[in-house]
Amino acid sequence: MLNIEIVEGDITKLDIDAIVDAANNSLLGGGGVDGAIHSAAGPKLLEECRSLNGCKTGEAKITKGYNLPAEYVIHTVGPVWKGGNYKEDELLAECYKNCFKLTGEYDIKTIAFPAISTGVYRFPVDRATQIAIGETKRYLKEHTNLEKVIFVCFNDDVYRTYKNYF
Ligand code: AR6
């Protein structure tokens, strides 16, 4: 599909409307992509996050990007993988749906996603990739606000998997 791109690299460097943070329920920062986003955005991001009162798994909340090139950060909380019988698939799909919903509300035209839940939260990369691409194609079929969706892969394994399923 024309408006989906798969790239290798660091999501914090992208000069686009919104980047997605794979956060935790506190929204107060952590490791992985969350840590990288908070370091690059600076302390004002944490300050705004403190005012949000956390975020439930599968939901999404938006803040400004502060020192990031991106205008907005959409914080979503993916499920921790527990073997597949704890609604992990549905919750991960909800993350993508809720991020897309915010793009409509904030007139966001370009957005980049990391591979939500596939790091510290150990969601199998294959399965997570199918959900990410499936939800994206579904949204793009039904809505016209997005000009570009970028999947940012931080390692070769994730990059190959996205290329394979696309
Ligand atoms: N740009 C793009 N992708 C990245 C970057 C980056 N700069 N850094 C890491 N990744 P993870 P999760 C990839 O662990 O599994 C945090 O501590 C990484 O290689 O960041 O959803 C939060 O606070 C992997 O493919 O997120 C939560 O506690 C993907 O991003 C917890 O981790 C997701 O890995 C969330 O775990």
Side-chain angles (χ1 to χ4, degrees), residues 94-112:
E94 281 301 309
C95 288
Y96 287 93
K97 285 192 178 91
N98 285 317
C99 288
F100 285 131
K101 191 164 170 237
L102 284 168
T103 67
E105 292 167 13
Y106 283 79
D107 197 27
I108 287 165
K109 293 185 172 59
T110 51
I111 184 169

PDB file of all heavy atoms in Angstrom, residues 94-112:
ATOM      1  N   GLU A  94      -6.118  -2.962  20.067  1.00  0.00           N
ATOM      2  CA  GLU A  94      -6.702  -1.744  20.656  1.00  0.00           C
ATOM      3  C   GLU A  94      -5.692  -0.597  20.660  1.00  0.00           C
ATOM      4  O   GLU A  94      -6.049   0.563  20.446  1.00  0.00           O
ATOM      5  CB  GLU A  94      -7.178  -1.999  22.096  1.00  0.00           C
ATOM      6  CG  GLU A  94      -8.515  -2.714  22.195  1.00  0.00           C
ATOM      7  CD  GLU A  94      -9.644  -1.947  21.512  1.00  0.00           C
ATOM      8  OE1 GLU A  94      -9.794  -0.751  21.804  1.00  0.00           O
ATOM      9  OE2 GLU A  94     -10.345  -2.543  20.680  1.00  0.00           O
ATOM     10  N   CYS A  95      -4.430  -0.904  20.961  1.00  0.00           N
ATOM     11  CA  CYS A  95      -3.386   0.143  20.960  1.00  0.00           C
ATOM     12  C   CYS A  95      -3.363   0.847  19.608  1.00  0.00           C
ATOM     13  O   CYS A  95      -3.368   2.076  19.527  1.00  0.00           O
ATOM     14  CB  CYS A  95      -1.997  -0.457  21.181  1.00  0.00           C
ATOM     15  SG  CYS A  95      -1.689  -1.038  22.837  1.00  0.00           S
ATOM     16  N   TYR A  96      -3.296   0.049  18.538  1.00  0.00           N
ATOM     17  CA  TYR A  96      -3.235   0.645  17.200  1.00  0.00           C
ATOM     18  C   TYR A  96      -4.520   1.417  16.894  1.00  0.00           C
ATOM     19  O   TYR A  96      -4.477   2.548  16.400  1.00  0.00           O
ATOM     20  CB  TYR A  96      -2.944  -0.433  16.146  1.00  0.00           C
ATOM     21  CG  TYR A  96      -1.491  -0.879  16.229  1.00  0.00           C
ATOM     22  CD1 TYR A  96      -1.117  -1.977  16.996  1.00  0.00           C
ATOM     23  CD2 TYR A  96      -0.486  -0.161  15.584  1.00  0.00           C
ATOM     24  CE1 TYR A  96       0.220  -2.366  17.108  1.00  0.00           C
ATOM     25  CE2 TYR A  96       0.853  -0.536  15.693  1.00  0.00           C
ATOM     26  CZ  TYR A  96       1.190  -1.637  16.452  1.00  0.00           C
ATOM     27  OH  TYR A  96       2.516  -1.994  16.568  1.00  0.00           O
ATOM     28  N   LYS A  97      -5.671   0.808  17.212  1.00  0.00           N
ATOM     29  CA  LYS A  97      -6.956   1.492  16.947  1.00  0.00           C
ATOM     30  C   LYS A  97      -7.019   2.833  17.672  1.00  0.00           C
ATOM     31  O   LYS A  97      -7.434   3.847  17.100  1.00  0.00           O
ATOM     32  CB  LYS A  97      -8.119   0.635  17.456  1.00  0.00           C
ATOM     33  CG  LYS A  97      -8.433  -0.558  16.589  1.00  0.00           C
ATOM     34  CD  LYS A  97      -9.775  -1.169  17.027  1.00  0.00           C
ATOM     35  CE  LYS A  97     -10.170  -2.334  16.154  1.00  0.00           C
ATOM     36  NZ  LYS A  97      -9.701  -3.636  16.631  1.00  0.00           N
ATOM     37  N   ASN A  98      -6.623   2.853  18.941  1.00  0.00           N
ATOM     38  CA  ASN A  98      -6.727   4.086  19.730  1.00  0.00           C
ATOM     39  C   ASN A  98      -5.717   5.144  19.282  1.00  0.00           C
ATOM     40  O   ASN A  98      -6.004   6.336  19.338  1.00  0.00           O
ATOM     41  CB  ASN A  98      -6.603   3.775  21.222  1.00  0.00           C
ATOM     42  CG  ASN A  98      -7.882   3.148  21.743  1.00  0.00           C
ATOM     43  OD1 ASN A  98      -8.980   3.596  21.406  1.00  0.00           O
ATOM     44  ND2 ASN A  98      -7.768   2.112  22.558  1.00  0.00           N
ATOM     45  N   CYS A  99      -4.550   4.718  18.848  1.00  0.00           N
ATOM     46  CA  CYS A  99      -3.585   5.684  18.277  1.00  0.00           C
ATOM     47  C   CYS A  99      -4.166   6.291  17.003  1.00  0.00           C
ATOM     48  O   CYS A  99      -4.124   7.515  16.807  1.00  0.00           O
ATOM     49  CB  CYS A  99      -2.256   5.000  17.957  1.00  0.00           C
ATOM     50  SG  CYS A  99      -1.294   4.551  19.402  1.00  0.00           S
ATOM     51  N   PHE A 100      -4.733   5.459  16.150  1.00  0.00           N
ATOM     52  CA  PHE A 100      -5.313   5.975  14.903  1.00  0.00           C
ATOM     53  C   PHE A 100      -6.474   6.924  15.187  1.00  0.00           C
ATOM     54  O   PHE A 100      -6.649   7.935  14.497  1.00  0.00           O
ATOM     55  CB  PHE A 100      -5.768   4.826  14.002  1.00  0.00           C
ATOM     56  CG  PHE A 100      -4.612   4.113  13.332  1.00  0.00           C
ATOM     57  CD1 PHE A 100      -4.510   2.732  13.365  1.00  0.00           C
ATOM     58  CD2 PHE A 100      -3.628   4.838  12.664  1.00  0.00           C
ATOM     59  CE1 PHE A 100      -3.444   2.080  12.746  1.00  0.00           C
ATOM     60  CE2 PHE A 100      -2.556   4.197  12.041  1.00  0.00           C
ATOM     61  CZ  PHE A 100      -2.467   2.814  12.084  1.00  0.00           C
ATOM     62  N   LYS A 101      -7.263   6.584  16.205  1.00  0.00           N
ATOM     63  CA  LYS A 101      -8.398   7.442  16.560  1.00  0.00           C
ATOM     64  C   LYS A 101      -7.890   8.860  16.896  1.00  0.00           C
ATOM     65  O   LYS A 101      -8.455   9.864  16.443  1.00  0.00           O
ATOM     66  CB  LYS A 101      -9.112   6.824  17.763  1.00  0.00           C
ATOM     67  CG  LYS A 101     -10.424   7.427  18.099  1.00  0.00           C
ATOM     68  CD  LYS A 101     -11.210   6.503  19.023  1.00  0.00           C
ATOM     69  CE  LYS A 101     -12.415   7.235  19.547  1.00  0.00           C
ATOM     70  NZ  LYS A 101     -12.439   7.262  21.020  1.00  0.00           N
ATOM     71  N   LEU A 102      -6.803   8.934  17.645  1.00  0.00           N
ATOM     72  CA  LEU A 102      -6.242  10.240  18.004  1.00  0.00           C
ATOM     73  C   LEU A 102      -5.730  10.993  16.770  1.00  0.00           C
ATOM     74  O   LEU A 102      -5.817  12.215  16.714  1.00  0.00           O
ATOM     75  CB  LEU A 102      -5.118  10.082  19.033  1.00  0.00           C
ATOM     76  CG  LEU A 102      -5.590   9.796  20.455  1.00  0.00           C
ATOM     77  CD1 LEU A 102      -4.417   9.364  21.332  1.00  0.00           C
ATOM     78  CD2 LEU A 102      -6.269  11.025  21.071  1.00  0.00           C
ATOM     79  N   THR A 103      -5.234  10.275  15.790  1.00  0.00           N
ATOM     80  CA  THR A 103      -4.754  10.984  14.579  1.00  0.00           C
ATOM     81  C   THR A 103      -5.915  11.719  13.905  1.00  0.00           C
ATOM     82  O   THR A 103      -5.728  12.813  13.379  1.00  0.00           O
ATOM     83  CB  THR A 103      -4.077  10.047  13.534  1.00  0.00           C
ATOM     84  OG1 THR A 103      -5.046   9.157  12.967  1.00  0.00           O
ATOM     85  CG2 THR A 103      -2.921   9.280  14.126  1.00  0.00           C
ATOM     86  N   GLY A 104      -7.083  11.120  13.943  1.00  0.00           N
ATOM     87  CA  GLY A 104      -8.259  11.773  13.359  1.00  0.00           C
ATOM     88  C   GLY A 104      -8.639  13.013  14.152  1.00  0.00           C
ATOM     89  O   GLY A 104      -8.954  14.061  13.587  1.00  0.00           O
ATOM     90  N   GLU A 105      -8.564  12.901  15.472  1.00  0.00           N
ATOM     91  CA  GLU A 105      -8.985  14.013  16.332  1.00  0.00           C
ATOM     92  C   GLU A 105      -8.014  15.196  16.301  1.00  0.00           C
ATOM     93  O   GLU A 105      -8.396  16.328  16.552  1.00  0.00           O
ATOM     94  CB  GLU A 105      -9.141  13.509  17.773  1.00  0.00           C
ATOM     95  CG  GLU A 105     -10.305  12.536  17.923  1.00  0.00           C
ATOM     96  CD  GLU A 105     -10.294  11.781  19.243  1.00  0.00           C
ATOM     97  OE1 GLU A 105      -9.537  12.165  20.163  1.00  0.00           O
ATOM     98  OE2 GLU A 105     -11.040  10.797  19.354  1.00  0.00           O
ATOM     99  N   TYR A 106      -6.730  14.926  16.046  1.00  0.00           N
ATOM    100  CA  TYR A 106      -5.709  15.984  16.094  1.00  0.00           C
ATOM    101  C   TYR A 106      -5.191  16.379  14.707  1.00  0.00           C
ATOM    102  O   TYR A 106      -4.152  17.023  14.586  1.00  0.00           O
ATOM    103  CB  TYR A 106      -4.545  15.555  16.999  1.00  0.00           C
ATOM    104  CG  TYR A 106      -4.905  15.686  18.456  1.00  0.00           C
ATOM    105  CD1 TYR A 106      -5.692  14.724  19.081  1.00  0.00           C
ATOM    106  CD2 TYR A 106      -4.501  16.793  19.208  1.00  0.00           C
ATOM    107  CE1 TYR A 106      -6.059  14.842  20.414  1.00  0.00           C
ATOM    108  CE2 TYR A 106      -4.854  16.926  20.536  1.00  0.00           C
ATOM    109  CZ  TYR A 106      -5.632  15.949  21.133  1.00  0.00           C
ATOM    110  OH  TYR A 106      -5.992  16.073  22.447  1.00  0.00           O
ATOM    111  N   ASP A 107      -5.871  15.949  13.670  1.00  0.00           N
ATOM    112  CA  ASP A 107      -5.488  16.302  12.310  1.00  0.00           C
ATOM    113  C   ASP A 107      -4.041  15.890  11.997  1.00  0.00           C
ATOM    114  O   ASP A 107      -3.279  16.642  11.377  1.00  0.00           O
ATOM    115  CB  ASP A 107      -5.687  17.816  12.106  1.00  0.00           C
ATOM    116  CG  ASP A 107      -5.717  18.161  10.626  1.00  0.00           C
ATOM    117  OD1 ASP A 107      -6.099  17.285   9.836  1.00  0.00           O
ATOM    118  OD2 ASP A 107      -5.307  19.285  10.276  1.00  0.00           O
ATOM    119  N   ILE A 108      -3.685  14.734  12.491  1.00  0.00           N
ATOM    120  CA  ILE A 108      -2.336  14.200  12.254  1.00  0.00           C
ATOM    121  C   ILE A 108      -2.330  13.505  10.882  1.00  0.00           C
ATOM    122  O   ILE A 108      -3.216  12.706  10.584  1.00  0.00           O
ATOM    123  CB  ILE A 108      -1.967  13.227  13.397  1.00  0.00           C
ATOM    124  CG1 ILE A 108      -1.685  14.043  14.669  1.00  0.00           C
ATOM    125  CG2 ILE A 108      -0.794  12.330  13.023  1.00  0.00           C
ATOM    126  CD1 ILE A 108      -1.671  13.239  15.939  1.00  0.00           C
ATOM    127  N   LYS A 109      -1.318  13.841  10.090  1.00  0.00           N
ATOM    128  CA  LYS A 109      -1.258  13.282   8.726  1.00  0.00           C
ATOM    129  C   LYS A 109      -0.139  12.259   8.563  1.00  0.00           C
ATOM    130  O   LYS A 109      -0.177  11.433   7.655  1.00  0.00           O
ATOM    131  CB  LYS A 109      -1.061  14.416   7.716  1.00  0.00           C
ATOM    132  CG  LYS A 109      -2.261  15.339   7.643  1.00  0.00           C
ATOM    133  CD  LYS A 109      -2.070  16.374   6.551  1.00  0.00           C
ATOM    134  CE  LYS A 109      -3.325  17.187   6.316  1.00  0.00           C
ATOM    135  NZ  LYS A 109      -3.780  17.908   7.520  1.00  0.00           N
ATOM    136  N   THR A 110       0.880  12.379   9.444  1.00  0.00           N
ATOM    137  CA  THR A 110       1.992  11.422   9.354  1.00  0.00           C
ATOM    138  C   THR A 110       2.293  10.894  10.748  1.00  0.00           C
ATOM    139  O   THR A 110       2.385  11.655  11.712  1.00  0.00           O
ATOM    140  CB  THR A 110       3.256  12.100   8.768  1.00  0.00           C
ATOM    141  OG1 THR A 110       3.518  13.307   9.513  1.00  0.00           O
ATOM    142  CG2 THR A 110       3.073  12.459   7.304  1.00  0.00           C
ATOM    143  N   ILE A 111       2.437   9.586  10.866  1.00  0.00           N
ATOM    144  CA  ILE A 111       2.640   8.965  12.176  1.00  0.00           C
ATOM    145  C   ILE A 111       3.630   7.814  12.049  1.00  0.00           C
ATOM    146  O   ILE A 111       3.660   7.127  11.020  1.00  0.00           O
ATOM    147  CB  ILE A 111       1.296   8.462  12.755  1.00  0.00           C
ATOM    148  CG1 ILE A 111       1.480   7.898  14.176  1.00  0.00           C
ATOM    149  CG2 ILE A 111       0.613   7.425  11.852  1.00  0.00           C
ATOM    150  CD1 ILE A 111       0.182   7.620  14.913  1.00  0.00           C
ATOM    151  N   ALA A 112       4.442   7.631  13.099  1.00  0.00           N
ATOM    152  CA  ALA A 112       5.391   6.502  13.113  1.00  0.00           C
ATOM    153  C   ALA A 112       5.165   5.650  14.351  1.00  0.00           C
ATOM    154  O   ALA A 112       4.961   6.179  15.453  1.00  0.00           O
ATOM    155  CB  ALA A 112       6.822   7.022  13.096  1.00  0.00           C
TER     156      ALA A 112
END
